[in-house]
């Protein structure tokens, strides 16, 4: 988002950011209008993801050329002036009118919305204002699973594309990090994208943007430290672990606006719109956080024991129990690489199965060997002691066992037996 000739120019990332957090939009407007400087710090992981994303995109461009398709790359507009954007869009339209197979880095600009689609793919089974052909939108994404923001972005490009060729695209194609081409219908996303755009532009016009509140986007937001400092300064209820936004709103309306105020209340003093269990949990949590804030020492209290919950879900201990963890790099190659498989036994002995070989050109061979060694170890341990279990934390480990046994087509039966026997136990 930025100002050009006195008007805001916005993009798909501004729209998806608005849907994640309206306060992010407020901050972006302030930066665009010169009222605030953008945070200088860049998250190293964000930089790494961006670099891998560019490499993924370049590999796909080469694959398209290897198929014998004509690819025309549109030069990125210099600067942020409207004239440069209009020139880049004119170049995009010229390539489309020429009927090239692929337009790479297509630029769209309608005076408000700026967009850069990775690819426009020619279709000869449809008619448009261009002639006996039309174009669809395609983008590369590192992710293996596609989320709503990716489709929303492409649907916005599809709407801008329709303005150039006279007809909407039919398909939106996402090329994932493992080279899968996932195809979606533009018509399935069009209505949602239009509604989101209308709401976004309305909030830009009236300025009625929601106040900041922690959400999943905070983990990748460059304004995280700014917002966190503000929450701490005002002792915001959002600092209380497990605090829901609607509960925070109800507490503020009841005259309990801070962590300190909440920690000094009894559960029955909280508004009835918050359930009894939640009232007890929130007052206890706030009180414990206040103790830690005062003493500098983590404070805790044991929850009352409940039959069939908590530690009662753990199986009886066995001398053959194992503890299992994986370390992986999702950006290595097209499918990622699980480079370290670790097993700890009850005697305290740790075994590392390395799924990488610095001297090898094909790391998948080392990954396959480590996977087979790990599965063989777990299977042998279970065969020797049917009461043993393999403990892990969160669902990543069994998910990767299933995925790799299918992709590598090895140890499928062994993995299936371990899963069916409930040998793996998720401590999380």
């Amino acid at each position: 988002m930025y100002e050009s000739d006195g008007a805001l120019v916005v993009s798909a990332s501004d729209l998806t950011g608005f849907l994640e957090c309206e306060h992010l939009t407020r901050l972006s407007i302030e930066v665009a209008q010169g009222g605030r400087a953008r945070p200088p710090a860049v998250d190293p992981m964000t930089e790494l993801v961006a670099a891998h994303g560019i490499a993924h995109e370049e590999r796909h461009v080469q694959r398209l050329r290897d198929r014998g398709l004509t690819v025309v790359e549109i030069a990125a507009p210099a600067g942020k002036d409207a004239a440069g954007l209009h020139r880049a869009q004119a170049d995009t339209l010229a390539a489309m009118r020429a009927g090239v197979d692929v337009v790479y880095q297509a630029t769209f600009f309608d005076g408000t919305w700026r967009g850069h689609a990775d690819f426009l793919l020619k279709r000869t089974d449809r008619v448009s204002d261009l002639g006996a052909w039309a174009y669809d939108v395609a983008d590369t994404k590192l992710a293996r699973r596609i989320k709503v923001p990716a489709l929303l972005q492409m649907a916005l490009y599809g709407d801008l594309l329709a303005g150039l060729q006279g007809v909407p695209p039919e398909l939106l194609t996402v090329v994932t990090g493992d080279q899968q081409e996932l195809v979606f219908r533009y018509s399935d996303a069009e209505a949602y994208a239009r509604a989101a755009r209308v709401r976004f532009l309305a909030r830009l016009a009236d300025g009625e943007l929601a106040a900041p509140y922690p959400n999943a986007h905070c983990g990748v937001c460059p304004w995280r430290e700014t917002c966190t400092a503000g929450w701490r300064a005002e002792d915001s209820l959002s600092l209380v672990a497990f605090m829901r936004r609607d509960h925070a709103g109800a507490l503020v309306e009841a005259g309990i606006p801070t962590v300190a105020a909440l920690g000094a209340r009894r559960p029955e003093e909280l508004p009835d719109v918050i359930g009894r269990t939640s009232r007890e949990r929130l007052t206890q949590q706030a009180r414990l956080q206040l103790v830690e804030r005062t003493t500098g020492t983590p404070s805790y209290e044991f929850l009352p024991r409940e039959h069939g919950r908590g530690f009662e879900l753990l199986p009886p201990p066995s001398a053959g129990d194992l503890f299992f963890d994986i370390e992986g790099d999702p950006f290595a190659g097209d499918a990622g690489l699980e480079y370290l498989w670790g097993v700890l036994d009850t005697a305290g002995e740790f075994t590392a199965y390395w799924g990488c070989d610095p001297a090898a050109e094909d790391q998948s061979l080392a990954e396959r060997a480590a996977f087979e060694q790990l599965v063989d170890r777990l299977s042998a341990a279970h065969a020797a002691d049917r009461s043993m279990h393999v403990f892990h934390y969160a669902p990543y480990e069994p998910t990767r066992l299933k995925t790799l046994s299918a992709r590598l087509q090895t140890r499928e039966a062994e993995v299936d037996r371990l899963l069916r026997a409930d040998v793996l136990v998720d401590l999380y």
Side-chain angles (χ1 to χ4, degrees):
M1 181 186 299
Y2 59 90
E3 279 196 345
S4 178
D5 298 330
L8 276 179
V9 176
V10 295
S11 67
S13 60
D14 294 318
L15 177 59
T16 56
F18 166 77
L19 297 176
E20 295 284 359
C21 174
E22 293 188 15
H23 186 63
L24 173 58
T25 300
R26 187 192 309 278
L27 294 170
S28 298
I29 293 173
E30 292 177 4
V31 171
Q33 296 176 341
R36 181 188 291 269
R38 190 177 301 279
V42 176
D43 178 47
M45 181 57 72
T46 301
E47 290 185 322
L48 180 63
V49 170
H52 281 286
I54 292 172
H56 172 44
E57 180 182 297
E58 291 174 346
R59 288 194 298 270
H60 188 65
V61 172
Q62 189 57 51
R63 285 193 291 268
L64 293 173
R65 291 191 172 112
D66 292 343
R67 296 176 191 172
L69 301 176
T70 56
V71 178
V72 171
E73 181 175 356
I74 306 301
K80 298 179 178 180
D81 66 293
L85 289 170
H86 283 302
R87 283 194 297 271
Q89 178 173 262
D91 292 343
T92 298
L93 183 56
M96 294 165 60
R97 285 176 173 159
V100 300
D101 296 321
V102 179
V103 183
Y104 177 40
Q105 288 300 316
T107 293
F108 307 111
F109 183 58
D110 66 0
T112 299
W113 291 95
R114 170 180 182 164
H116 301 277
D118 288 347
F119 305 99
L120 301 181
L121 305 179
K122 183 180 178 182
R123 295 275 301 275
T124 57
D125 57 346
R126 301 175 64 224
V127 176
S128 71
D129 291 350
L130 305 170
W133 63 89
Y135 286 87
D136 285 340
V137 178
D139 256 19
T140 54
K141 301 292 181 186
L142 274 180
R144 270 63 167 178
R145 293 177 296 176
I146 303 306
K147 298 181 180 179
V148 169
L151 292 180
L152 178 62
Q153 178 187 47
M154 297 177 67
L156 171 59
Y157 295 160
D159 186 61
L160 296 172
L161 172 61
L164 294 185
Q165 65 181 10
V167 297
E170 182 179 358
L171 303 176
L172 308 174
T173 301
V174 183
V175 183
T176 58
D178 54 359
Q179 299 188 36
Q180 298 296 311
E181 296 189 11
L182 307 180
V183 180
F184 304 87
R185 298 188 68 84
Y186 168 72
S187 58
D188 291 339
E190 177 187 11
Y192 171 70
R194 187 187 309 113
R197 289 175 63 189
V198 168
R199 186 158 67 90
F200 173 62
L201 294 176
R203 294 291 77 79
L204 289 182
D206 61 32
E208 296 181 2
L209 296 159
Y213 199 84
N215 61 74
H217 188 68
C218 294
V220 296
C221 182
W223 296 99
R224 176 177 54 204
E225 293 184 3
T226 301
C227 291
T228 300
W231 291 323
R232 287 174 177 164
E234 63 189 35
D235 197 23
S236 168
L237 289 170
S238 66
L239 298 174
V240 178
F242 313 115
M243 175 67 72
R244 286 171 27 184
R245 189 167 192 160
D246 59 331
H247 287 169
L251 290 170
V252 170
E253 290 182 5
I256 309 173
T258 64
V259 179
L262 177 59
R265 299 298 183 98
R266 298 189 304 273
E268 59 269 21
E269 295 180 292
L270 271 56
D272 291 338
V273 293
I274 302 175
R276 179 183 58 82
T277 301
S278 295
R279 294 199 303 267
E280 293 174 350
R281 183 180 71 249
L282 291 175
T283 52
Q284 179 189 38
Q285 182 66 35
R287 178 167 45 79
L288 290 173
Q289 289 183 212
L290 287 174
V291 171
E292 180 174 345
R293 183 188 298 178
T294 303
T295 65
T297 302
S299 181
Y300 63 89
E301 294 175 359
F302 286 108
L303 296 173
R305 182 168 179 171
E306 296 182 46
H307 179 66
R309 298 193 66 187
F311 290 126
E312 285 195 7
L313 294 174
L314 289 174
S318 168
D321 286 340
L322 297 173
F323 302 87
F324 165 45
D325 188 32
I326 307 176
E327 296 297 334
D329 180 356
F331 305 122
D334 289 323
L337 179 70
E338 306 302 336
Y339 62 84
L340 174 59
W341 307 68
V343 175
L344 181 73
D345 62 23
T346 54
E349 181 178 350
F350 176 75
T351 304
Y353 300 99
W354 286 97
C356 61
D357 180 359
E361 293 185 7
D362 187 356
Q363 295 297 326
S364 64
L365 298 177
E367 181 185 47
R368 180 190 183 99
F371 169 73
E372 292 177 341
Q373 291 169 12
L374 180 279
V375 174
D376 291 346
R377 167 78 178 277
L378 302 186
S379 298
H382 185 237
D385 178 5
R386 294 294 180 179
S387 67
M388 65 82 66
H389 289 84
V390 178
F391 297 92
H392 60 93
Y393 191 79
Y396 187 78
E397 279 72 20
T399 298
R400 297 310 294 161
L401 288 177
K402 289 184 285 188
T403 300
L404 285 173
S405 66
R407 178 164 63 83
L408 300 175
Q409 297 184 347
T410 181
R411 303 301 191 270
E412 298 102 321
E414 290 83 350
V415 170
D416 185 64
R417 280 194 293 270
L418 291 170
L419 295 174
R420 288 181 182 276
D422 291 326
V423 173
L424 274 73
V425 176
D426 186 348
L427 293 173
Y428 179 68

